[in-house]
Amino acid sequence: MKFSDNGYYLEEYTKCDNCGILLYRSPIRITTDGANKRYCSDWCVDWDMKRESEIANQKRGADSVEPKRQRVATGK
């Protein structure tokens, strides 16, 4: 959220892309995987990066299990 020059109204509503809290000051901006994200604090940056890495690890684990299932089904 950015206050106007005279301080009487808001020019835009900006929320943290992780927790959704309204941002009154300049956000922490990070570009990951082509997405421009805005965060309220370093904690939100760390939490979101950890969550994204865990999701990627789970996806990789699921992808590695699938070929094994196919081999068992075909008898190889």
Side-chain angles (χ1 to χ4, degrees):
M1 181 176 349
K2 181 179 165 187
F3 288 103
S4 68
D5 292 335
N6 62 11
Y8 289 119
Y9 62 93
L10 302 173
E11 290 184 1
E12 63 183 33
Y13 289 93
T14 304
K15 292 184 177 185
C16 175
D17 288 328
N18 184 50
C19 68
I21 192 168
L22 289 173
L23 302 172
Y24 291 96
R25 290 182 223 113
S26 297
I28 299 170
R29 295 178 187 269
I30 296 180
T31 301
T32 57
D33 299 329
N36 295 321
K37 295 188 175 185
R38 296 170 297 209
Y39 298 98
C40 62
S41 66
D42 290 331
W43 184 89
C44 273
V45 172
D46 294 340
W47 191 88
D48 192 36
M49 295 299 164
K50 182 178 179 184
R51 182 183 62 197
E52 291 295 325
S53 68
E54 288 177 2
I55 290 170
N57 288 339
Q58 289 175 354
K59 187 175 181 180
R60 268 183 267 156
D63 291 344
S64 67
V65 170
E66 190 60 34
K68 291 178 185 176
R69 289 183 186 160
Q70 290 174 352
R71 279 187 263 148
V72 170
T74 59
K76 293 182 180 179

